[in-house]
Amino acid sequence: MDWPFLIDVARQLLSGVPLTLQLAGSGLLAGGVLAVLVASAAASGIAPLRWIALAHVEVFRGTPLLVQIFLIYYGLGQIPELRQSFLWPFLREPYWCAILALALNTSAYTAEIIRGALQAVPEGEVEAARAAGMSGVLLRRRITWPIALRHGIALYGSEVILMVKATSLASVITVAEVTNISYRLISSTYRALEVFVVAGAIYLALTFLVSLAVTLAERRLNAHHAHRST
């Protein structure tokens, strides 16, 4: 085992971690906002909105993220109107294309997590709250949303982990995150095994930290619920 080489590889790969986290965080933030809109549209009484939301979910869950990245990075540039719009300075950059693809992809999955979590709220608790005089935003804030959060947090934690790993696909459009740096190191050293072992260890550490944070949040939410029950 060539420890000096592994340490040097780790040092170089760790320089890509901030960008990896930035991609994941930005994608999750933008995707979360879009997911709320999609979930709201899916629950709307307006049929066209429901159809658009369903199409969004089916398209982005039913196609590979890698294909979505290629379509956004290479495909949008084929639209003359877009190249002449104010969006082009952003969409011609690999970084913003990667964030857009990650956001659109995670929004479809997160919208389904939101829908499932809301459906898991017991109807009896909602009816009891209404009988106590709650309605509208107050009912959602005190009953629906807290219960849905407890039901959905574990699934959303899995989505966050998937997004951290999915940032590796941004390497195919030259975004210099951990995997892209790994490819460059391999092309210069021809030592793929050692480089990918270190890269895998970095991703494992990141996903472990996310999993730990989700577990702690879940325990805190459940402890608060148990305290209220007693």
Side-chain angles (χ1 to χ4, degrees):
M1 191 72 73
D2 189 347
W3 287 107
F5 176 74
L6 293 177
I7 292 172
D8 183 59
V9 167
R11 178 184 59 79
Q12 295 187 61
L13 293 185
L14 286 172
S15 68
V17 169
L19 183 54
T20 293
L21 295 177
Q22 197 175 93
L23 287 171
S26 299
L28 287 166
L29 180 60
V33 173
L34 182 56
V36 171
L37 296 177
V38 171
S40 299
S44 170
I46 303 174
L49 288 180
R50 291 201 308 272
W51 297 337
I52 293 172
L54 177 61
H56 176 88
V57 170
E58 291 301 320
V59 167
F60 287 101
R61 289 204 312 166
T63 56
L65 175 57
L66 182 60
V67 173
Q68 296 165 20
I69 291 174
F70 281 146
L71 285 174
I72 290 172
Y73 184 61
Y74 295 110
L76 295 182
Q78 306 300 313
I79 304 173
E81 293 80 7
L82 189 57
R83 291 202 305 270
Q84 298 170 6
S85 73
F86 70 96
L87 294 173
W88 185 239
F90 297 96
L91 294 178
R92 70 183 178 185
E93 297 295 332
Y95 173 80
W96 293 110
C97 287
I99 288 179
L100 178 59
L102 291 169
L104 290 171
N105 184 268
T106 193
S107 68
Y109 289 94
T110 304
E112 285 296 281
I113 292 172
I114 293 172
R115 183 182 65 85
L118 290 174
Q119 287 182 346
V121 177
E123 187 63 28
E125 297 205 23
V126 175
E127 292 299 326
R130 285 174 178 162
M134 294 186 192
S135 62
V137 175
L138 181 63
L139 172 63
R140 292 179 177 85
R141 184 172 61 86
R142 291 190 175 182
I143 304 298
T144 305
W145 291 339
I147 296 175
L149 179 61
R150 287 196 295 271
H151 282 291
I153 189 170
L155 286 175
Y156 188 67
S158 297
E159 176 61 17
V160 173
I161 290 173
L162 289 174
M163 278 291 289
V164 171
K165 294 187 291 185
T167 58
S168 63
L169 295 176
S171 63
V172 300
I173 54 173
T174 71
V175 179
E177 44 69 67
V178 173
T179 302
N180 182 269
I181 296 173
S182 299
Y183 290 148
R184 286 188 286 173
L185 286 173
I186 291 169
S187 66
S188 62
T189 64
Y190 300 100
R191 301 174 69 170
L193 178 62
E194 293 98 323
V195 172
F196 278 136
V197 164
V198 176
I202 290 173
Y203 281 111
L204 180 62
L206 292 176
T207 56
F208 173 77
L209 291 175
V210 172
S211 178
L212 180 62
V214 171
T215 299
L216 292 175
E218 192 173 8
R219 286 179 180 175
R220 182 173 182 179
L221 287 171
N222 289 332
H224 178 65
H225 176 60
H227 176 70
R228 287 181 60 187
S229 299
T230 56

